[in-house]
Amino acid sequence: MKFIVSSSALLKQLSAINGVVTTNPVVPILENFLFEIKDSMLTITASDLQTSMITEIHVEAKEDGNIAVPARILIDTLKNLPEQPVTFSIDHDTYAVEISSDNGRYRLAGENATDFPKIPTVSNPTTVDMSTEVLASAISNTIFATSSDELRPAMTGVFINLSDTNTTFVATDGHRLVRYRRVDIASGSPASLIIPRKALNLLKSTLPSENISVSVEFNQSNAYFKFGQIKMICRLIDERFPDYENVIPADNPNIMTIDRQDLLSSLRRIAIYANKTTHQVRLKLTGSELMISAEDLDFSNEANERLSCDHDGEDIEIGFNAKFLVEMLNNLSCKEVSLKFSAPNRAGLILPAEQEENEDILMLVMPVMLNNYV
């Protein structure tokens, strides 16, 4: 089997799906790309058993065939070749792959394509379409709050709930929670699913910069994303997601509105002086003044800053993990944020002072018990 393809065009397609390939996979052949040629169309597949990505590229080929090609050595070779047509020659008896360029030949050991795991298909799917812009925004606004605790697998992914009026994306690690809702995406048949963090990270890095439509299909076990030349199939997390709505406090009489960037910059400075284990910062609201302070008793470090804000409600003092606050504020893009509190031992809410059209973002962060320093 032989085919000719542009080196840079092939590298672009391989780079898009290379993130799936792991260094020490459970099945050794998964260190390879699966190449399949049919009617001069090269289909390339990468998989780690949980997530698979597929892309296509036109090539010059006179016959059909398939081969598994080592991913790392192939990508490293193409990265160091200037743009030119390259010829792949495959010996189906030995599975040897020879790449010929203008001034060189490179020989690598392939593997039998039939040993590559079969990619699952999504049967009887629920289907919904959304733009790459919406999907990228949903992933960016939630994925940072997912848990890395494998003992609570439901929290290691993003929960998606489709209804006939909106679609809600939720992530939590038990200390913070993000709910991102879109009213411009809806489904005639209500459904819910949990997509693993790795699959969403791969999706985010692969989504094109231009705003195109993404087709999403899913059933009880797998989800399927298709956009441009890329397809991604991932296994869903088969767990029950926590009842997040009951965690969100309904009555929050203390509301503070403040410039997001000012608050973020202040927290970054104050966090330097916080305890390196708890990362605790103290927010003290008195009238229209917010005092942010932190202290590390082990090293006698302390700092405080005052910011002006709009405050409606009683004076309150509450402690939070500075790392969580910084990360949440950093993931918002609005000019001003509203922080809502009910009591020092209850969760605080962070949301844009003015929501963007078609979206509703709510972030929740659990308090940290205050140390008794002055």
Side-chain angles (χ1 to χ4, degrees):
M1 184 178 87
K2 184 181 286 190
F3 66 91
I4 301 170
V5 65
S6 156
S7 59
S8 59
L10 179 59
L11 178 60
K12 182 181 178 182
Q13 297 302 318
L14 294 177
S15 299
I17 66 172
N18 185 48
V20 184
V21 182
T22 52
T23 47
N24 292 302
V26 178
V27 184
I29 198 170
L30 294 178
E31 289 183 313
N32 295 260
F33 289 121
L34 175 63
F35 280 19
E36 298 173 290
I37 293 179
K38 187 174 184 181
D39 301 330
S40 295
M41 179 65 78
L42 172 61
T43 302
I44 310 161
T45 305
S47 178
D48 67 357
L49 292 181
Q50 300 295 319
T51 306
S52 303
M53 293 188 78
I54 302 165
T55 186
E56 294 178 333
I57 183 172
H58 281 283
V59 297
E60 289 182 38
K62 293 182 179 177
E63 57 181 319
D64 298 345
N66 52 32
I67 186 76
V69 185
R72 185 169 181 180
I73 192 170
L74 175 59
I75 282 197
D76 286 348
T77 303
L78 293 172
K79 276 180 180 176
N80 289 286
L81 277 177
E83 157 56 23
Q84 60 185 289
V86 290
T87 303
F88 283 73
S89 304
I90 290 100
D91 185 333
H92 278 293
D93 293 328
T94 62
Y95 305 116
V97 180
E98 187 175 282
I99 306 169
S100 304
S101 66
D102 288 346
N103 53 359
R105 290 190 312 120
Y106 316 92
R107 191 176 178 87
L108 53 155
E111 293 190 48
N112 190 344
T114 57
D115 294 336
F116 202 89
K118 291 284 182 286
I119 305 305
T121 56
V122 180
S123 55
N124 303 318
T126 300
T127 305
V128 63
D129 290 327
M130 63 185 79
S131 68
T132 51
E133 190 178 282
V134 167
L135 183 56
S137 178
I139 295 171
S140 298
N141 277 296
T142 54
I143 199 164
F144 70 91
T146 55
S147 173
S148 56
D149 184 0
E150 297 301 330
L151 295 175
R152 297 191 288 181
M155 294 187 183
T156 61
V158 173
F159 174 75
I160 303 174
N161 186 62
L162 293 117
S163 74
D164 54 0
T165 56
N166 59 56
T167 297
T168 306
F169 302 79
V170 186
T172 181
D173 61 2
H175 303 287
R176 56 191 167 165
L177 179 146
V178 180
R179 188 190 70 192
Y180 179 80
R181 183 168 285 158
R182 297 289 308 202
V183 295
D184 53 349
I185 309 169
S187 172
S189 49
S192 60
L193 62 156
I194 307 175
I195 300 180
R197 182 178 58 247
K198 179 182 177 180
L200 290 172
N201 271 323
L202 288 167
L203 199 56
K204 183 184 174 186
S205 63
T206 314
L207 288 172
S209 53
E210 65 268 21
N211 195 22
I212 61 173
S213 179
V214 180
S215 172
V216 185
E217 297 180 352
F218 60 92
N219 58 14
Q220 290 293 99
S221 52
N222 294 290
Y224 176 95
F225 299 83
K226 185 178 187 300
F227 52 94
Q229 301 292 325
I230 306 285
K231 299 172 190 170
M232 188 181 91
I233 301 100
C234 70
R235 188 173 296 171
L236 300 177
I237 297 173
D238 185 17
E239 295 282 340
R240 187 176 178 275
F241 198 76
D243 186 3
Y244 65 91
E245 289 289 2
N246 280 340
V247 180
I248 301 171
D251 186 25
N252 302 283
N254 294 291
I255 303 171
M256 174 187 76
T257 303
I258 192 167
D259 185 281
R260 180 184 67 87
Q261 197 57 56
D262 288 350
L263 179 59
L264 180 58
S265 299
S266 180
L267 283 167
R268 281 180 169 150
R269 290 189 292 269
I270 298 296
I272 298 168
Y273 294 84
N275 182 281
K276 298 299 177 277
T277 304
T278 64
H279 305 286
Q280 179 194 288
V281 292
R282 174 181 293 211
L283 306 186
K284 186 175 183 180
L285 265 169
T286 311
S288 60
E289 183 182 83
L290 169 67
M291 187 169 88
I292 307 172
S293 59
E295 182 175 78
D296 187 350
L297 295 171
D298 296 337
F299 298 97
S300 301
N301 297 331
E302 62 175 294
N304 66 73
E305 287 189 17
R306 285 180 165 80
L307 296 173
S308 59
C309 63
D310 290 331
H311 175 217
D312 182 16
E314 297 178 359
D315 294 351
I316 189 171
E317 197 168 1
I318 189 167
F320 290 112
N321 183 317
K323 283 177 66 179
F324 292 162
L325 288 180
V326 166
E327 199 167 20
M328 293 167 118
L329 290 168
N330 201 40
N331 274 278
L332 292 171
S333 56
C334 54
K335 179 169 172 49
E336 290 189 325
V337 291
S338 291
L339 280 76
K340 299 183 178 182
F341 315 107
S342 55
N345 61 345
R346 298 288 305 278
L349 301 181
I350 304 172
L351 52 158
E354 290 186 13
Q355 299 280 4
E356 294 287 329
E357 187 181 3
N358 294 324
E359 73 176 19
D360 175 27
I361 305 173
L362 181 145
M363 297 181 173
L364 175 149
V365 59
M366 297 303 291
V368 177
M369 293 307 291
L370 289 170
N371 295 326
N372 293 319
Y373 66 82
V374 178

